[in-house]
Amino acid sequence: FCILPAGVYGGWGYKFQHISDAIDVARTYYLIRKQRSDLLIEDWQGELSEDSLDWYDSPADELGEPEHSPPFNIIFVQAGPRMGYRWQNAYYLETCEVNWLDPEPRKE
């Protein structure tokens, strides 16, 4: 996590070197969002760097079906007051389950 210089209002994405790095970045954005509810992170997305040791080639790419490529992109998900993140491919077709960053609301 880094502090942006004055005059910089944000960025679009982030490249991860390891899949395990995603949770720290997601939690950091989540904690900032809790403090500043007006912060817009709707269009933010991260992706696994092609230079990462966690990267692998997919048979779908070799078959000319990139829409079925591995889920190497991360996006934020919001459902009511809850926020989480999930991995998905660049075509939004292959998605993983949501990793929630806050607890499930209590049932009354």
Side-chain angles (χ1 to χ4, degrees):
F1 181 71
C2 67
I3 303 297
L4 298 173
V8 175
Y9 293 98
W12 181 75
Y14 187 89
K15 289 206 181 229
F16 299 99
Q17 290 303 313
H18 302 282
I19 290 173
S20 60
D21 294 341
I23 184 67
D24 291 332
V25 172
R27 275 199 185 124
T28 300
Y29 275 99
Y30 168 72
L31 292 172
I32 292 171
R33 175 72 187 262
K34 282 184 74 168
Q35 292 174 5
R36 300 261 331 256
S37 61
D38 59 337
L39 181 67
L40 297 175
I41 58 172
E42 296 152 0
D43 295 331
W44 184 92
Q45 110 173 8
E47 64 184 63
L48 187 64
S49 170
E50 290 185 26
D51 297 328
S52 168
L53 296 176
D54 295 338
W55 181 274
Y56 58 89
D57 289 326
S58 165
D61 293 331
E62 295 170 14
L63 295 172
E65 300 174 351
E67 66 274 10
H68 297 293
S69 60
F72 287 151
N73 293 12
I74 184 175
I75 63 160
F76 285 102
V77 175
Q78 186 161 3
R82 292 187 80 191
M83 281 199 66
Y85 70 95
R86 72 174 177 210
W87 289 94
Q88 66 184 27
N89 73 359
Y91 295 89
Y92 304 99
L93 297 175
E94 306 292 333
T95 62
C96 298
E97 67 182 54
V98 175
N99 298 288
W100 295 108
L101 296 165
D102 51 1
E104 186 174 358
R106 296 180 124 187
K107 295 180 182 179
E108 296 179 25

